[in-house]
Amino acid sequence: MKKLGTQKRTSLNGLINYAIVIGAYVLLRVLMGAGLLSNSLQSVLVPACCYMVMAVSLNLVVGISGELSLGHAGFMSLGAFSGIVAAVALQNLVPFAPLRLAAAMVIGALFGALGGFVVGVPVLRLRGDYLAIVTLAFGQIIQNIIMVLYVGVDAKGIHVTTDSARLVLAEGGTAIVKGPMGAVGAPKLATFTAGAALLLVTLFVAQNLVNSRSGRAILALRDNRIAAESVGIPAGKYKLMAFVTSAALAGAAGALFGLNYSSTVASKFNFNTSILVLVFVVLGGLGNIRGSMVAAALLYVLPELLRGFNIAEYRMLVYAVILILVMLFTNNPTLQGFFGGVRERLFQKAPEGTVKGGGANE
């Protein structure tokens, strides 16, 4: 009976997450239709969806798996540039824009998963600070590789080189990625509807993974790796599963992000972007999927709401200060006990047989 009750609560939490996304989408659509949403706010809806997906996906690694990754923006960049190349290459074959966007996001997810597998196989042998430093290095490597790539497409197919002089295209060909200049002239296919749909898919994948047998194995490894391995749970397999799934979702988010702008540069997906997503995860709560989603939405849109106060210029500084304060709070047992006691007094149910304002009945 206890197990059945836990499953019901888990299912209810998942449905609440879906309801939050659908409700927010409908509300924003109504506001847009009524002209109550400014153009500047409308312009951040798609990037906000992308960062919400990034936060949920990174939480699979940091919160659910218990491993610190600082190179998540690298997988986003793989998805962004592969998605842009796919969207341009499929322009004649798939003229229907929404279908081409979906194909680009799938290809971005595949490239993100491939990058996650290549990085995860050697990296997940490490733990703690060593893992964080190596994932940071891989993120920088991915960024620098993309900065020297020249990619074009013509009637003969896709051409990739590291030398601009060698990128020779047939008549009618298009240069898509131009080294340090990034992807220029990309089709702007991204929509708010596609962002909401991707977020729902991300929630479906993440929640089903966490609540599956594999998810329970990942949680067991997070809580006590030695004990989990002693009962036959292979750490490498399940850690890699969470890492690759997270990278695939980040790749899909990157494809949507890249196709929201006419030009995208690799420097957009640098170390600061990885830290930004990590801030969303930490503030939302490690292992808390809903918290990551809400924190990413609020913190990304907040600077736009407060544009009149010029706070957008100090966004990263504010994020850094908030992150420090959260870390101090989570490592202070006194503060945790105080706020925990206040919460219990506010929300605990009165024991049976008590009288409001008096002692218990004898």
Side-chain angles (χ1 to χ4, degrees), residues 138 148 167 191 226 249 290:
F138 269 107
V148 299
L167 186 63
T191 62
I226 296 175
L249 294 173
R290 186 186 307 159

Side-chain angles (χ1 to χ4, degrees), residues 164 178 283:
S164 59
K178 302 178 180 179
L283 293 183

Side-chain angles (χ1 to χ4, degrees), residues 25-38:
Y25 172 78
V26 172
L27 176 62
L28 290 171
R29 275 296 180 188
V30 171
L31 293 176
M32 291 167 63
L36 299 177
L37 214 60
S38 65

Side-chain angles (χ1 to χ4, degrees), residues 222-263:
R222 180 196 66 182
D223 295 337
N224 194 320
R225 181 166 181 158
I226 296 175
E229 288 181 323
S230 69
V231 296
I233 297 177
K237 172 186 174 181
Y238 288 109
K239 293 282 186 180
L240 185 62
M241 181 186 297
F243 198 79
V244 171
T245 303
S246 174
L249 294 173
L256 182 67
F257 186 88
L259 292 171
N260 189 54
Y261 303 99
S262 57
S263 62

